[in-house]
Amino acid sequence: MEPQGVVWRASEEDVARSRTAEFMALHGIDSFEELVRRSTDDIEWFWEAAVDYLGIPFSTPYQTLVDASKGPAFPRWFLGGRVNVSAACVDRWAAQDPERVALLAEREDGIQRSYSFGELLELVERAAGALTRAGASKGDTVGVYLSMVPEAVVAMLAAARIGAVYVPIFSGFGAEAVASRLEACDPSVVVTADGYTRRGRSIAMKEVADRALEMAGLAPSVLVVSNLGRTDTPMTHGRDRWWDEALESAERLPAMATSSEDPVLLAYTSGTTGKPKGVVHVQGGLTAKLAVEGAFQFEMQPDDRVMWMTDMGWIMGPWTVMAGMGNGASVVCYDGAPDYPTPGRPWDLVGSLGITILGISPTLVRALQPHGSHHAAGADFSTLRAFGSTGEPWNPAPWWWLFRDVGGERYPIINISGGTEVGACLLSVNILQGIKPVSLGGPSLGMAVDVYDQEGCPIREEVGELVCTKTWPAVTRGFWGDDDRYFGTYWDRWPDVWVHGDWATIDADGFWFLHGRSDDTLNIAGKRIGPAEVESAVVAHPDVVVAAAIGVPDPVKGEVIAVFVVPAREGDEDRLAAELSEMVVGTLGKPFRPAAIRFVDDLPRTRSAKIMRRVVRARALGMDTGDLTSLENPAAVDAIGQLDR
C-alpha cells in the first residue's frame, strides 16, 4: 500500500523562488491556507490584488472590477478597461528584453526553430496585418486548423491583436468535424497548412480543409503554412495564399485597444448529443485568469520554458501560451507523436529544449508506463522543475510511476482540473501546500469551490458534487449563439451555483480529490461509486494499459459493472479477466465484482486524452453514441462489442 500522506514538500529554495510566497508577504498573509481562504472569501480583493501584482497591461485602466448584476453566470469583469492578449503576452516583454527566447519548437523529425520576443513581436504584427488584408476585422472569427507549430501560436496572438475571435480546430480532425466547427463560427479567414508528420508519415491538411469548406458551404480567405514544403498542395486562385508570402508584404499592426469584454477565443467542446458547444472567452477575463494560474500554480517566471503535450485545439494549447507568456516565460511547441520514435520522446524533449515545466496527461503516462522508466533514466532533467497534469483523475499506480520511477521523487506533479468552459482551473496543487498522491491540492486561488451533497449542502470527507459558488474572470460568457444551453448545463440545479459535473472529496487534511464525472456514477445495488475507483483497481495490474468502467442495467441489482480493458500484451484473456475481477473485489468488495470484462485494442478518447465513457457505454448497450467529432481515434468505437443484456 503506497503512503497517502504528503509525499513532497517545497524546499527552502523553492519557497524563496515562489511568487505565491512573495504575494503572501506583500499582503501580510502568514500561511497558504489563509491565502486560499481570503482569495475565495473575498474574490474582489484577490483579483484586483493579483492583476496589480502581475502588472497586467491595461492600456486604459478599468473602472469597475466586476458587475454581476445579471447573475454570476453572466458577469462583466474589468469594466471600462482596455487590454489585449497579444500585448500582454508579447509586446511588454519585447520592450523589456527583445533578445530573450519567447518561442521554441521541435518537430517530430528533430528540426527546431527558436524566436526571441523581438522576433515574435514582428511576426505577430505582420500576421495581424496579413489577417486584416485577408478580410478579418474586429469581432470576426478566424479559424485556425494547424498542428502544434509556431504559426499556430502566432495566428492566435495575431487574431487577438486585431480584436478578432480565435477559433482553434484540432489538427487530427477529419473534414466533417472541421466543417461542423467552421459552419458554426463562419470565419472570415482560415489558417491551415500543407500538412504535418506523425510517426514518420506525412498527413495532408490542406485537402481536409478544402473538403471541410466545401461541406460547410463557405468561401473565406485561406492562408496556408508551408510546414512540409509540399509542391503539390492544391491552391484555389483568388482565395488561397501562402502564409509566408502574406506576412512578407503585410503591414505591421499595433495591438488594438480592445475592451475587457471583447470576445477573443471560441473553443469547441464535444456534447453528449447534438452539435459541439462553442465556448466564448473574452480578452480581459482570460488574460487575468491564465496569468494568475501560471504565476501562482506553476510559479512561472521569465526564466521558465513551458511545454504541454497538447494541441491548440484543446484548451491547454491556448492555456500554455497565455499562462506562460503572460508571465514572460518561453513557450515550447512539440509537433509530433509523444512516443515516436521511442517512448522516451517526452523525456528527451526536456533536455533538447531546456524545458522547466512539462505538462503531460494521466492517459499518456499510462500508455508510456508499460515501456518502462529506463527511457527516462538517460534523459537530461537538469532544467526541469515540475510536471503538470490535467484532463482526468489519476490512478495511483501511474501517478507513482511518474513521480518516483521517472522523476525520482524530485519533481512535484502540479495536478490541475477545470475545463474549457471554466477558462482554466477550479482546483490546483500548490507547492506551498505540499503534495499528496493523485490529489488536486485545493481551490485554485480566487475560485470559491465547494463539495455539495444531493441536497446542496457542503460536505467533507464524503463524495459529492464539485461546485463553484461565486463568479470568476474567465467563466465562459456563454455558448456561441446558445445561452440557454449554457445556463441549463451549469447553472440551473442550484441558484447561482456552478455545478461542474465532477465527483469530489475533501479529506481530513484539506486535500481535494476527484473521482470522475458525476454523470458517469455507478449505482450498484444502491451503492454509488465512481468509475475511476474501479478503473484504478484494474490498471494496477501490470498487464493493463488503460480501462473504462461503465454501468450496465441489471434486473436484480439495477446496475452492474462492465469493464473494457486495453491489455499491455497478448496473452490468456480468461486468466487476466479472472485476475482483474479479483483485484476489483479485493479493492472495493464483493458487491462491485464486474459482471463483464472485455478486452479491446483501444478506447475512444479525445485529443486531451480523456476516455469517453459515455461513448463506450452507448456502444456497448447499442445506444446512440452522440457527438463523436472530438475523438482522436474514432475507429476505437467500432471495436467495442455490444454486451448481452
Side-chain angles (χ1 to χ4, degrees), residues 158-172:
R161 195 171 192 82
I162 63 173
V165 183
Y166 167 67
V167 186
I169 301 173
F170 167 48
S171 61

Side-chain angles (χ1 to χ4, degrees), residues 596-616:
I597 294 177
R598 298 289 184 267
F599 296 95
V600 292
D601 292 333
D602 202 359
L603 288 169
R605 62 184 183 277
T606 66
R607 176 59 174 164
S608 60
K610 291 183 180 178
I611 301 299
M612 298 292 280
R613 296 189 190 94
R614 69 162 180 83
V615 174
V616 175

Side-chain angles (χ1 to χ4, degrees), residues 19 37 97 325 329 343 347 383-384 435 457 481 524 535 538 602 637:
R19 304 188 77 187
R37 283 193 300 272
D97 189 359
M325 290 186 181
W347 326 129
T383 59
L384 191 66
I435 294 175
C457 299
I524 312 302
E535 293 157 5
V538 171
D602 202 359
V637 179

Side-chain angles (χ1 to χ4, degrees), residues 120-313:
L120 180 61
L121 176 60
E122 179 176 350
L123 280 174
V124 173
E125 289 173 334
R126 290 191 179 279
L131 291 177
T132 299
R133 179 183 290 180
S137 59
K138 185 177 186 294
D140 288 348
T141 57
V142 174
V144 180
Y145 176 50
L146 291 172
S147 58
M148 202 65 178
V149 292
E151 289 82 1
V153 175
V154 172
M156 179 191 112
L157 295 168
R161 195 171 192 82
I162 63 173
V165 183
Y166 167 67
V167 186
I169 301 173
F170 167 48
S171 61
F173 277 154
E176 183 178 350
V178 176
S180 69
R181 286 149 177 80
L182 294 178
E183 184 178 13
C185 71
D186 191 15
S188 56
V189 179
V190 169
V191 183
T192 188
D194 56 354
Y196 59 92
T197 59
R198 284 298 179 274
R199 304 186 187 284
R201 185 168 64 94
S202 296
I203 309 295
M205 291 191 85
K206 180 58 164 55
E207 289 85 343
V208 176
D210 286 345
R211 288 198 300 273
L213 288 169
E214 183 179 359
M215 293 169 67
L218 301 173
S221 298
V222 179
L223 298 179
V224 185
V225 175
S226 179
N227 192 41
L228 297 181
R230 289 176 52 196
T231 58
D232 61 343
T233 303
M235 300 288 282
T236 299
H237 180 71
R239 186 196 70 175
D240 302 347
R241 193 175 183 195
W242 288 106
W243 170 269
D244 286 346
E245 292 177 1
L247 263 64
E248 186 176 357
S249 60
E251 181 184 0
R252 296 174 62 174
L253 296 183
M256 181 178 289
T258 43
S259 166
S260 296
E261 285 293 317
D262 283 341
V264 69
L265 171 67
L266 176 56
Y268 281 94
T269 66
S270 61
T272 302
T273 58
K275 294 182 178 180
K277 301 171 293 188
V279 177
V280 181
H281 288 294
V282 298
Q283 293 267 3
L286 202 60
T287 298
K289 173 61 170 161
L290 298 194
V292 163
E293 293 199 350
F296 297 142
Q297 294 170 199
F298 288 87
E299 305 291 352
M300 291 181 190
Q301 299 193 33
D303 60 351
D304 277 310
R305 292 188 177 183
V306 185
M307 188 186 84
W308 215 279
M309 303 293 292
T310 188
D311 187 275
M312 292 298 284

Side-chain angles (χ1 to χ4, degrees), residues 13-174:
E13 181 180 355
D14 294 326
V15 174
R17 186 186 185 280
S18 168
R19 304 188 77 187
T20 310
E22 182 181 58
F23 181 79
M24 289 166 54
L26 285 172
H27 293 278
I29 297 173
D30 295 328
S31 69
F32 179 70
E33 291 72 23
E34 181 186 348
L35 173 61
V36 172
R37 283 193 300 272
R38 187 170 175 188
S39 78
T40 55
D41 289 346
D42 189 352
I43 62 168
E44 290 85 357
W45 163 80
F46 173 74
W47 287 107
E48 191 155 28
V51 165
D52 181 66
Y53 170 76
L54 295 175
I56 293 175
F58 283 82
S59 57
T60 300
Y62 60 87
Q63 302 301 311
T64 301
L65 180 71
V66 57
D67 174 6
S69 59
K70 295 183 179 180
F74 300 100
R76 294 184 298 164
W77 282 82
F78 311 114
L79 289 185
R82 294 193 172 273
V83 63
N84 189 287
V85 165
S86 183
C89 290
V90 184
D91 296 48
R92 58 171 166 161
W93 311 116
Q96 293 178 21
D97 189 359
E99 300 304 317
R100 187 160 55 81
V101 173
L103 181 63
L104 298 94
E106 183 168 313
R107 298 196 331 185
E108 192 176 77
D109 58 11
I111 294 175
Q112 294 185 357
R113 286 189 280 172
S114 176
Y115 304 89
S116 69
F117 272 103
E119 291 169 332
L120 180 61
L121 176 60
E122 179 176 350
L123 280 174
V124 173
E125 289 173 334
R126 290 191 179 279
L131 291 177
T132 299
R133 179 183 290 180
S137 59
K138 185 177 186 294
D140 288 348
T141 57
V142 174
V144 180
Y145 176 50
L146 291 172
S147 58
M148 202 65 178
V149 292
E151 289 82 1
V153 175
V154 172
M156 179 191 112
L157 295 168
R161 195 171 192 82
I162 63 173
V165 183
Y166 167 67
V167 186
I169 301 173
F170 167 48
S171 61
F173 277 154

